[in-house]
């Protein structure tokens, strides 16, 4: 309990309580302003109109009327269309071939060109969707009257051209809301980053302040020190999610109180890993630098920014070693998908078991360090201390007798004197030659 109070006082005097709560809120505000829309609208494109006819101009107007596309420039020729992407002003180049209107009137196939800047596939997804919708509509307007002239009804003509149709139903995030994906991911990322920065130096801070040996008299003391981090990090993360839910209509259909259980397990397990990874650090700066071994793989493998379906099975197995990944699994299932808590009990049991193993590893590491320090104290000379100078350091080599109470050695005193150096003895040095006059 003393260790818990000591860590609590340390955190209260530091800025961590404010950081643990404010940083997720800052992320909520910043990314909500940066990502005001749930999809990319009015993407700037260039149209190369090689036909320059009434029908091509009409088609350009239809392309520009799409909510996903904004025709920013129309040119008649482009030898190197990729040059429009160099300065990141445009996302696509649409090419209308020469003879477009003539082929359209004669019901001859036309092939439009769609050149996409695919350096970021997310930015051009809706452009591709919009062009598919526009071409499908144009084909129907041309084909249905032609088939109707053969004796088919309009319904039969439409059924002939579009016999199979796919009805899409998007679950859990039907509007592709960024608050449910990107913003929520970065809120968790900031909370995780602040947790690592402040908890990695725990052992190094005790080592530098010469309190580690006393702390390890009871290895459970290290686990007690995790409790303040657990309280502040859980409060900050749940509070930030509540703000998103209340003011930004973020989807969270699970119980926030039940969701606190996996969040607390995630914080506890993450701090345990931080203690183990940074145990041998000589000072807190080195301990914090080891965050790269924890933060980056956990964040990437969590599935917050990259779909976990992209990862091979080995990577998915490795990801289970990071409590942050487990927390994201519960966030998606309980919060976004609305799974009942009873459905997640197997995953919760696995997470609790893994967190318990991490706690036992911390205790085992503390016991091993305690034995190591005890052996160092046992082999140290009497009166010395581990890591300190040996007793008798500073005596002349070969003098086995301890120094006298007056501070002078027996070898440095003249016979018949009371221990003070005579006139022919230089303090701290060999006797002066007899023929050299003494200095008064």
């Amino acid at each position: 309990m003393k260790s818990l109070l000591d860590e609590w006082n340390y955190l209260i005097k530091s800025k961590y309580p404010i950081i643990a709560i404010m940083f997720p809120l800052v992320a909520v505000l910043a990314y909500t302003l940066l990502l005001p829309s749930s999809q990319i609208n009015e993407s700037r494109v260039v149209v190369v109109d090689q036909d320059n006819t009434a029908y091509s101009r009409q088609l350009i107007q239809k392309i520009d009327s799409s909510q996903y596309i904004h025709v920013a420039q129309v040119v008649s020729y482009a030898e190197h269309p990729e040059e429009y992407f160099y300065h990141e002003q445009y996302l696509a180049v649409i090419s209308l071939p020469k003879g477009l209107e003539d082929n359209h009137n004669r019901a001859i196939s036309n092939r439009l060109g769609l050149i996409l800047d695919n350096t970021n596939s997310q930015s051009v997804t809706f452009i591709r969707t919009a062009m598919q919708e526009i071409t499908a509509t144009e084909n129907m307007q041309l084909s249905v009257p032609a088939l109707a002239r053969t004796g088919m009804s309009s319904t039969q003509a439409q059924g002939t051209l579009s016999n199979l149709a796919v009805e899409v139903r998007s679950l859990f995030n039907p509007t592709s809301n960024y608050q449910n994906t990107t913003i929520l991911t970065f809120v968790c990322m900031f909370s995780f980053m602040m947790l690592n920065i402040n908890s990695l130096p725990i052992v190094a801070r005790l080592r530098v302040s010469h309190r580690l040996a006393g702390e390890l008299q009871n290895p459970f003391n290290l686990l007690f020190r995790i409790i303040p981090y657990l309280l502040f990090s859980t409060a900050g993360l749940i509070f930030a999610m509540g703000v998103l839910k209340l003011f930004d209509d973020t989807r969270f259909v699970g119980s926030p109180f039940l969701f606190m259980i996996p969040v607390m397990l995630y914080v506890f397990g993450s701090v345990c890993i931080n203690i183990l990874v940074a145990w041998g650090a000589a000072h807190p700066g080195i301990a914090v630098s080891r965050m790269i071994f924890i933060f980056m793989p956990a964040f990437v493998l969590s599935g917050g920014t990259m779909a976990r379906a992209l990862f091979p099975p080995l990577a998915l197995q490795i990801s289970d070693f990071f409590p942050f990944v487990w927390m994201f699994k519960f966030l998606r299932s309980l919060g976004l998908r609305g799974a009942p808590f009873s459905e997640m009990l197997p995953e919760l049991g696995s997470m609790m078991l893994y967190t318990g193993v991490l706690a036992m590893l911390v205790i085992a590491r503390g016991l091993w360090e305690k034995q190591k320090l005890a052996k160092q104290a046992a082999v140290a000379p009497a009166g010395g201390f581990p890591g300190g100078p040996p007793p008798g350091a500073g005596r002349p080599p070969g003098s086995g007798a301890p120094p006298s109470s007056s501070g002078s050695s027996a070898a440095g005193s003249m016979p018949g004197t009371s221990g003070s150096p005579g006139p022919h003895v230089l303090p701290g040095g060999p006797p002066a030659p007899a023929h050299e006059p003494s200095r008064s």
Side-chain angles (χ1 to χ4, degrees):
M1 190 60 65
K2 180 180 179 181
S3 300
L4 170 60
L5 295 177
D6 179 66
E7 196 70 22
W8 179 273
N9 292 331
Y10 171 79
L11 290 182
I12 290 297
K13 294 177 182 178
S14 69
K15 297 180 180 179
Y16 179 70
I18 299 177
I19 291 175
I21 296 177
M22 293 304 299
F23 258 69
L25 293 179
V26 170
V28 168
L29 178 62
Y31 284 100
T32 300
L33 295 177
L34 289 175
L35 302 172
S37 176
S38 60
Q39 57 193 20
I40 302 176
N41 297 321
E42 299 295 329
S43 300
R44 292 171 56 87
V45 304
V46 176
V47 175
V48 181
D49 185 7
Q50 303 179 57
D51 195 43
N52 195 21
T53 57
Y55 177 69
S56 66
R57 289 188 289 271
Q58 178 185 359
L59 184 59
I60 292 173
Q61 292 178 355
K62 291 181 179 180
I63 293 174
D64 188 53
S65 63
S66 172
Q67 71 178 82
Y68 305 119
I69 299 177
H70 167 60
V71 178
Q73 186 177 357
V74 179
V75 297
S76 59
Y77 177 75
E79 182 177 2
H80 301 288
E82 66 273 8
E83 294 178 354
Y84 288 102
F85 303 139
Y86 291 163
H87 303 289
E88 299 188 351
Q89 296 182 357
Y90 307 102
L91 294 176
V93 175
I94 301 173
S95 177
L96 306 183
K98 189 174 180 60
L100 175 67
E101 184 180 54
D102 184 51
N103 292 337
H104 176 75
N105 294 334
R106 293 191 298 163
I108 298 177
S109 176
N110 280 301
R111 300 184 67 86
L112 307 184
L114 178 60
I115 306 172
L116 301 173
D117 180 8
N118 209 37
T119 52
N120 187 343
S121 58
Q122 184 181 11
S123 61
V124 297
T125 299
F126 288 104
I127 298 177
R128 185 185 292 108
T129 301
M131 290 301 297
Q132 291 174 348
E133 293 175 352
I134 292 172
T135 54
T137 301
E138 287 295 304
N139 291 335
M140 292 287 290
Q141 292 177 354
L142 177 65
S143 303
V144 169
L147 291 176
R149 287 193 293 268
T150 64
M152 289 186 180
S153 64
S154 59
T155 304
Q156 289 176 325
Q158 291 180 2
T160 302
L161 294 174
S162 180
N163 187 259
L164 295 178
V166 178
E167 294 184 359
V168 180
R169 182 186 179 193
S170 299
L171 298 179
F172 312 128
N173 191 14
T175 61
S176 300
N177 192 347
Y178 277 134
Q179 278 75 12
N180 294 338
T181 54
T182 305
I183 293 180
L184 200 57
T185 297
F186 281 101
V187 168
C188 296
M189 180 200 72
F190 273 99
S191 176
F192 185 43
M193 182 172 61
M194 291 299 105
L195 175 64
N196 287 333
I197 290 175
N198 288 274
S199 62
L200 275 165
I202 290 178
V203 176
R205 176 162 44 86
L206 294 173
R207 192 187 309 277
V208 170
S209 59
H210 304 291
R211 293 184 295 164
L212 182 59
E215 188 75 8
L216 295 179
Q217 295 303 315
N218 181 5
F220 285 93
N221 289 338
L222 292 176
L223 299 182
F224 291 146
R225 289 182 177 270
I226 300 178
I227 296 177
Y229 298 92
L230 188 150
L231 296 177
F232 288 122
S233 293
T234 302
L237 193 57
I238 296 298
F239 183 55
M241 291 183 181
V243 171
L244 278 175
K245 173 68 175 178
L246 184 61
F247 296 103
D248 217 359
D249 198 26
T250 300
R251 177 181 175 87
F252 193 96
V253 294
S255 171
F257 299 102
L258 294 177
F259 180 66
M260 289 176 62
I261 298 175
V263 171
M264 295 174 71
L265 290 174
Y266 135 70
V267 175
F268 190 87
S270 295
V271 178
C272 286
I273 291 181
N274 290 344
I275 291 175
L276 295 172
V277 169
W279 188 282
H283 59 81
I286 296 178
V288 174
S289 67
R290 297 183 182 180
M291 183 176 68
I292 191 67
F293 300 109
I294 302 173
F295 179 77
M296 289 306 298
F299 181 65
V300 172
L301 295 174
S302 66
T305 55
M306 300 176 61
R308 284 172 57 85
L310 294 172
F311 300 131
L314 179 60
L316 295 178
Q317 294 174 2
I318 295 175
S319 69
D320 289 337
F321 287 96
F322 298 97
F324 184 73
V325 176
W326 286 86
M327 189 272 293
F328 252 92
K329 290 181 181 179
F330 282 91
L331 176 60
R332 286 190 291 265
S333 295
L334 292 178
L336 301 183
R337 299 187 181 109
F341 190 78
S342 58
E343 189 72 23
M344 300 301 296
L345 288 180
E347 286 84 354
L348 183 64
S350 300
M351 189 177 185
M352 294 178 65
L353 178 62
Y354 178 54
T355 305
V357 171
L358 291 176
M360 288 189 293
L361 289 176
V362 171
I363 294 174
R365 188 64 177 89
L367 291 174
W368 185 84
E369 184 76 14
K370 179 182 178 181
Q371 293 178 356
K372 179 182 176 182
L373 295 177
K375 291 180 180 179
Q376 290 179 356
V379 299
F385 57 91
R395 285 187 308 215
S399 60
S404 63
S405 58
S406 61
S408 60
S409 64
S413 59
M414 295 295 294
T417 63
S418 60
S420 60
H424 296 286
V425 179
L426 298 178
H435 62 272
E436 181 178 348
S438 62
R439 300 178 181 176
S440 58

